Amino acid sequence: QNIIEYSPLSLKYLKDICNMIKKLVSLCYILLITLIVGCTSQTVEEIVETHADGTPKVIVLYFVDGENKTKMATTQYYADGKVELSGQFNPDQKRMGKWLYNYPSGLLWSESVYESGKREGYSCVYYKNGKKRYEGNYKADKTIGTWQFYDEDGKLIKTQKH
């Protein structure tokens, strides 16, 4: 008969190892639950309006966290699929960042920067030929500084101080 004898010291190490394994399993379980719960937050694109032929007219990007749905960005399309406008929203659902509007040709019509729903910073409007029409800056949705106005050939025709 082979009898294995363990010293009290080896039994203590075995108990310590078992306890460490139990803690590791508990940590893995907590991590798994955290990942599952954390993955319930996601971004979702939703077609909220269509043209008569069924193609998207307005697409909104939402941040979904459980039951809460927050609008993050929107893109609106012409019937031929070209982008009409695009921009982002802050968590309070107000415009933020650069908003772009395009002519049906696809050329840029206007660009403005928003902060908390108000124009803030550089803004420019273009002619259908792509040349600048006018440009200037905003502060809290009010024109500030020097604005420049151009003819359809891009020639500066007027400056106006605010």
Side-chain angles (χ1 to χ4, degrees), residues 4-18:
I4 301 174
E5 290 187 32
Y6 292 99
S7 70
L9 190 56
S10 2
L11 288 175
K12 181 188 178 312
Y13 286 129
L14 280 174
K15 286 180 183 178
D16 288 345
I17 290 171
C18 285

Side-chain angles (χ1 to χ4, degrees), residues 87-89 94-99 112-116 120:
Q88 300 176 337
F89 298 96
K94 294 181 179 174
R95 287 181 177 199
M96 68 170 252
K98 188 181 280 191
W99 277 69
S112 293
V113 177
Y114 286 81
E115 195 173 295
S116 294
E120 189 75 31

